[in-house]
Amino acid sequence: MPANLVSYREDCRRAAVVIVAFSPGIACPSAEVVVRAEDVQRRGVHQLRRRPDGRWSVETVARVRGARLWSRPSAVSPATP
């Protein structure tokens, strides 16, 4: 997992799958799959599988469970006490 923007750019040139714990703010066009921290926050756990054709498939908790009232991200942030 890249720890900074320099590592992210290097991984983008070499890897088919890039998992990053920050928001890089730039695209990674050569990677087939990029999972960012905000993707996990919005969609939950990601399961990656290599298909027989060699491509990657991605399944997320949000896709499986669907949109539910208690699992949607809040449009308004809670007030700070």
Side-chain angles (χ1 to χ4, degrees):
M1 179 174 356
N4 57 50
L5 199 51
V6 172
S7 298
Y8 173 75
R9 286 182 176 159
E10 182 178 330
D11 286 356
C12 283
R13 286 193 301 270
R14 297 177 180 203
V17 175
V18 177
I19 300 171
V20 61
F22 60 91
S23 181
I26 59 172
C28 187
S30 49
E32 188 175 337
V33 177
V34 177
V35 178
R36 301 163 303 160
E38 58 263 27
D39 297 326
V40 175
Q41 285 179 326
R42 286 189 197 121
R43 296 179 191 98
V45 173
H46 286 53
Q47 177 186 34
L48 282 71
R49 288 188 192 173
R50 193 75 181 246
R51 298 187 318 209
D53 65 3
R55 299 195 56 181
W56 291 92
S57 71
V58 180
E59 189 68 55
T60 66
V61 169
R63 188 177 307 161
V64 171
R65 78 167 178 240
R68 297 180 180 172
L69 182 60
W70 59 86
S71 62
R72 291 185 198 151
S74 174
V76 178
S77 59
T80 306

